[in-house]
Amino acid sequence: MFTRNSTVSGTLKASMSSSTFASGSSNSSGNSKASVDFARFARETFEKTYGAPTYVAAEARRSQGQDKVISIEYTTSQRDFARDSKRKVAGHMVLGIDDDSTTATVLAKGVPADAGSVSMSLRSPVDSSVVAVLRTASKTERFVEIWHDGALAKSIDVSSVHGEFYGDSTFGKLAWSVNGKSIVYAAEKPEYDKARPEPATPDNSGEEIAGDITDDIIGGVAGIADPRRYEVESDWGETFDGKRPPALVVLDVSSGAARVLAAPDGVSPGQAQCLEECIVFTGYKYAVRKHGIVYCQNRPTGIYTCDFDGGNVKCLHSGSVRSPRVTPSGKGLVFLSTTPGGPHASTSELIYYDLADESATILVPIIATLLTKQQTAGGTQLPAGFVGIYADQLPGEPWLRVGGDPAREVLVFSSTWRSASVVLTLDLLQRELALQTAADGTVGSNVLGANGDIVIGKCSTPAQPEMLVVGEAVCKAGSVSIQWQSIGKPSKGSVQWQVLRGEGQLESVFVYPPAPGHDTRFFWTDDSAAARPLAVVPHGGPHSTYTTEYNALAAGLVQLGFGVLLVNFTGSLGFGQDAVLAQIGKMDTLSIDEIQAAASDVHARGEGDIKRTVYVGGSYSGYTGALLAGMAPGFYRALALRNPVISIGENAAMSDIPDWNYAELGLEYAFDAPPELTPAAFTAMWRASPARLVDKVSDPLLLLVGANDRRVPPPQTLSYFARLKAAGAPAQCKVYPSVGHPLDSMEAERDSFVSIVRFFAAALKK
């Protein structure tokens, strides 16, 4: 789909002296013209590289009677720099596909429409012209809409029935009943009554009191609030700040009646699917407290069923399971399963549950190390090079029909494969897992959904923002194959990248401009690659991965003239379960050594200036950056750290995921009986914490903090900053209000990028 030498945009050949940055007269506000012009240039670079849309949902359907004409509806997320907001936009296009071409022809394209008020939408399985839409009209107004042939057939006000819709991937899922008469979705539980003035009542003081004065009170009565209103009922942590727990809602399409189902005790339901006679859902379990759930696949969960009235609840399978998907035949389910506890993300199993036999079969097992050759495990044929399944969720509509055979159920989904994001298919009939996109680092691919024999997906490279792709599933020599066609053509330019392999499991994606140009004039003007500044950017987690997909931060730094080294150290996902577990107990040593080895390798290759190397990290890689600031002073000219873990013991006491702080050190943690933070445990945490190295820091540090971060709460970083100042270290700190762990508001994204660029410019000038 793309070549390795694709780019976002070509670079201009004209070059200005870097002295431009330092010169210039002052303007009326007292700022030098050079500094203002450079800040504007950094902001414009941000808008160029962060402005591309990302595809969050898509559906593809063949046009009736025209097999080679495909209709696509899609939703993108886009940054609107004029409105300073992120917007959801719905679009539609009609494609013509040709078996002999790798590019689909756009026959027609509709006018994009704002979809910011839409939480979810889904076509009826009975009549494809009928669509259910969950719409939020305002903070207090919510509606379920039923559309028929593009016209609004019914709008149902559910504002008083429940709270906000859950539209996330953890709990949110909109499902139709098999007969198309009902829909099921997740929303906040109704709010308990607040106190209201009681109307005047007659004096009944002489009457005999019925019941006991300590009987439970339900509802807001006697001029007081419902006693349950202020009982402690925590949310699910980061990204769910302040949201009431989810409940399943069943709405009868004909009558418009909506019913909130009671959840099992100690369970929050989500990801609903419908069988003929019941609802299937993931139940997120909690005992004494809820642990943060986003980015965490190791939580206690179960796959449950219940009747459409909420009764007859049954747990089919327990563990750390998620993402149930009903097979097209309705005879079974597939779902993902991860080892409970320990690392927050790791290799997953794919399990099939037979509804008739009430039995579970592992279709794809946990893979310890890369498979050097094709082999069969548990009855499933696995391809050479396979490293296991790494997927947070399966696609909402993941099923393909191949060759017109209704008995052939094929699951299509995305996974991480070393430093690549790939598309896989699993043929349940043949028990064959197949790789359907390149895994060599040339492109990153993801599935958005499937319909019949059509797959709609997206792909990108470090140089090319996301593009839609469409694929046709065919049967070749008895095996499933997807023939892909891109929608549009990638832009041409000069940004390049390569995957660099180190010792063991160390692997990095190195993205760089091959030659200096006008845009690089402030940081790189020498034609020598050895003079190019190097930005070392490990990922957070630590159990995550950088792939050869588009990365806006990397693209922005590359456009400015940096080589960007995206480091996948041992413990990254996509390299086998053994690699994940190798990180445990070594969080302050193994990744540190490998990050330094990766940077030194680029220096040795003559691809980066050893004297002009900087560091960018966030969360766990903010932690490793803070460690390196104290352990390897002088190696980096400057370090920019977003929401770094500074004191593991403090984080264990405040974070929404206290288990992380124990697990990564190899300490025991039980979800149903969280341990005390003993002096011995705190000592182990302190020994691995950057906070102990404050007096060793001499390189410039920029700390970027989200005021509402639940994952790595700000007090530890603010305390660290105060101690750095007291020690005379060259540190700066910025705090962004009303922003959480990802620093993902428009203002936080823009200001942090520009601040990092200006911070590096000042540090590298010295």
Side-chain angles (χ1 to χ4, degrees):
M1 301 173 197
F2 299 119
T3 62
R4 185 168 283 153
N5 295 324
S6 304
T7 68
V8 179
S9 61
T11 55
L12 299 176
K13 298 302 179 184
S15 176
M16 295 176 62
S17 168
S18 58
S19 63
T20 304
F21 171 49
S23 63
S25 59
S26 297
N27 60 24
S28 59
S29 63
N31 299 313
S32 73
K33 183 177 184 302
S35 65
V36 172
D37 287 348
F38 180 68
R40 181 181 300 110
F41 176 66
R43 189 260 303 164
E44 290 171 346
T45 301
F46 165 80
E47 292 181 359
K48 282 182 185 178
T49 53
Y50 281 71
T54 58
Y55 292 90
V56 296
E59 176 194 29
R61 294 180 296 145
R62 289 192 188 275
S63 296
Q64 192 170 3
Q66 294 179 294
D67 278 355
K68 295 303 179 183
V69 177
I70 295 176
S71 175
I72 293 178
E73 295 178 0
Y74 58 90
T75 304
T76 62
S77 175
Q78 301 187 39
R79 294 171 176 85
D80 186 330
F81 299 112
R83 297 186 184 183
D84 210 24
S85 65
K86 294 182 180 180
R87 301 175 62 185
K88 281 174 65 177
V89 178
H92 173 259
M93 67 176 75
V94 179
L95 305 177
I97 57 175
D98 186 337
D99 293 341
D100 297 325
S101 176
T102 58
T103 304
T105 302
V106 178
L107 303 177
K109 199 167 187 177
V111 177
D114 191 288
S117 63
V118 176
S119 176
M120 287 185 164
S121 63
L122 187 67
R123 290 186 186 278
S124 166
V126 176
D127 183 351
S128 62
S129 68
V130 176
V131 180
V133 175
L134 308 183
R135 189 181 301 277
T136 301
S138 69
K139 288 185 177 180
T140 58
E141 294 178 303
R142 290 167 293 277
F143 297 86
V144 175
E145 299 172 350
I146 307 298
W147 292 74
H148 183 240
D149 279 334
L152 181 62
K154 186 173 292 189
S155 183
I156 303 158
D157 189 342
V158 293
S159 307
S160 62
V161 178
H162 55 70
E164 293 181 12
F165 297 117
Y166 269 84
D168 63 287
S169 61
T170 302
F171 297 103
K173 186 80 171 66
L174 173 59
W176 281 89
S177 61
V178 175
N179 61 16
K181 294 182 178 180
S182 302
I183 61 169
V184 184
Y185 57 91
E188 284 183 307
K189 290 169 56 176
E191 189 173 16
Y192 293 121
D193 294 341
K194 62 182 180 181
R196 292 184 176 86
E198 186 178 31
T201 57
D203 182 7
N204 297 319
S205 58
E207 293 184 8
E208 183 178 346
I209 297 176
D212 191 288
I213 62 171
T214 61
D215 287 345
D216 288 341
I217 293 176
I218 302 298
V221 296
I224 63 170
D226 187 315
R228 297 169 295 178
R229 182 178 177 88
Y230 302 110
E231 289 180 354
V232 174
E233 188 170 31
S234 60
D235 57 35
W236 281 99
E238 182 69 31
T239 74
F240 298 105
D241 198 15
K243 289 198 76 167
R244 297 193 298 277
L248 296 184
V249 182
V250 177
L251 183 140
D252 183 285
V253 172
S254 177
S255 68
R259 176 175 183 170
V260 178
L261 305 187
D265 290 340
V267 173
S268 285
Q271 303 181 339
Q273 294 262 288
C274 292
L275 291 164
E276 199 163 327
E277 308 244 337
C278 63
I279 300 168
V280 180
F281 63 92
T282 303
Y284 294 86
K285 302 178 183 180
Y286 56 94
V288 296
R289 62 160 292 175
K290 296 185 181 79
H291 290 77
I293 194 72
V294 70
Y295 319 127
C296 298
Q297 302 161 4
N298 64 343
R299 300 309 192 221
T301 58
I303 303 297
Y304 292 81
T305 59
C306 71
D307 295 339
F308 279 87
D309 62 2
N312 196 26
V313 177
K314 182 178 180 181
C315 184
L316 305 182
H317 198 90
S318 287
S320 288
V321 291
R322 63 194 184 279
S323 212
R325 300 293 184 260
V326 179
T327 60
S329 66
K331 295 179 179 179
L333 314 168
V334 296
F335 52 87
L336 297 169
S337 176
T338 304
T339 303
H344 71 275
S346 59
T347 320
S348 294
E349 296 174 319
L350 186 66
I351 295 177
Y352 175 81
Y353 186 87
D354 189 299
L355 293 165
D357 294 345
E358 298 185 351
S359 62
T361 301
I362 297 174
L363 297 176
V364 180
I366 289 175
I367 302 297
T369 58
L370 179 147
L371 303 184
T372 57
K373 62 182 180 180
Q374 178 180 299
Q375 59 183 264
T376 299
T380 300
Q381 182 177 304
L382 306 175
F386 183 56
V387 286
I389 294 175
Y390 304 88
D392 185 56
Q393 306 292 338
L394 296 173
E397 303 297 325
W399 295 105
L400 285 167
R401 289 291 179 90
V402 182
D405 183 358
R408 194 164 199 178
E409 298 173 327
V410 178
L411 182 75
V412 59
F413 59 100
S414 310
S415 183
T416 303
W417 186 303
R418 298 187 70 93
S419 298
S421 179
V422 301
V423 174
L424 300 171
T425 54
L426 177 64
D427 186 336
L428 271 63
L429 181 65
Q430 301 292 333
R431 291 291 294 272
E432 181 182 13
L433 184 76
L435 177 66
Q436 300 294 350
T437 53
D440 59 0
T442 55
V443 68
S445 306
N446 285 277
V447 173
L448 294 171
N451 186 356
D453 62 347
I454 297 294
V455 186
I456 184 71
K458 60 182 180 179
C459 64
S460 66
T461 72
Q464 169 66 51
E466 290 181 359
M467 295 176 57
L468 286 177
V469 292
V470 62
E472 289 185 279
V474 297
C475 185
K476 288 185 176 180
S479 297
V480 175
S481 177
I482 297 178
Q483 299 174 340
W484 295 101
Q485 295 188 28
S486 59
I487 302 171
K489 295 181 179 180
S491 56
K492 295 182 179 180
S494 58
V495 172
Q496 297 181 354
W497 70 96
Q498 55 184 306
V499 176
L500 305 178
R501 293 191 176 181
E503 293 186 9
Q505 302 298 330
L506 173 62
E507 193 167 281
S508 302
V509 180
F510 183 43
V511 191
Y512 55 95
H518 182 70
D519 287 343
T520 74
R521 64 192 183 276
F522 297 113
F523 292 100
W524 184 39
T525 57
D526 193 316
D527 282 335
S528 169
R532 184 173 52 212
L534 175 66
V536 178
V537 189
H539 60 72
H543 309 294
S544 181
T545 318
Y546 277 129
T547 68
T548 50
E549 296 173 276
Y550 185 73
N551 180 302
L553 172 63
L557 292 175
V558 168
Q559 184 161 318
L560 292 170
F562 287 86
V564 178
L565 186 66
L566 304 172
V567 184
N568 290 324
F569 43 78
T570 299
S572 302
L573 302 181
F575 297 83
Q577 184 71 349
D578 284 359
V580 174
L581 298 178
Q583 170 73 233
I584 302 303
K586 301 177 182 178
M587 66 180 296
D588 60 330
T589 56
L590 180 58
S591 53
I592 294 292
D593 293 342
E594 293 190 341
I595 291 167
Q596 296 300 85
S600 296
D601 178 56
V602 174
H603 295 152
R605 291 169 180 264
E607 294 283 354
D609 190 342
I610 193 171
K611 296 180 180 179
R612 303 176 73 231
T613 296
V614 296
Y615 184 101
V616 183
S619 193
Y620 175 77
S621 62
Y623 160 82
T624 54
L627 279 177
L628 286 166
M631 296 170 67
F635 190 93
Y636 297 100
R637 291 287 297 277
L639 301 94
L641 311 178
R642 305 186 312 272
N643 288 323
V645 178
I646 297 298
S647 174
I648 301 173
E650 289 181 65
N651 203 55
M654 297 185 292
S655 174
D656 68 325
I657 55 168
D659 58 299
W660 180 93
N661 304 274
Y662 290 81
E664 293 301 329
L665 284 169
L667 303 177
E668 293 294 323
Y669 189 95
F671 290 114
D672 57 355
E676 290 288 340
L677 184 55
T678 63
F682 191 90
T683 298
M685 293 175 181
W686 177 257
R687 287 172 179 162
S689 294
R692 68 181 175 85
L693 300 172
V694 166
D695 61 340
K696 306 293 185 184
V697 175
S698 59
D699 302 314
L701 277 181
L702 173 63
L703 304 172
L704 303 167
V705 179
N708 289 0
D709 189 351
R710 299 279 300 277
R711 190 117 311 172
V712 184
Q716 59 188 293
T717 307
L718 299 179
S719 173
Y720 179 62
F721 175 57
R723 293 176 61 209
L724 287 170
K725 287 201 301 180
Q732 302 175 37
C733 184
K734 290 196 169 191
V735 179
Y736 299 100
S738 305
V739 179
H741 192 58
L743 296 183
D744 56 358
S745 72
M746 284 285 292
E747 178 63 12
E749 285 182 338
R750 176 177 52 240
D751 189 80
S752 62
F753 179 85
V754 172
S755 296
I756 288 170
V757 171
R758 297 183 69 240
F759 175 66
F760 286 164
L764 295 177
K765 188 178 71 170
K766 295 177 181 178

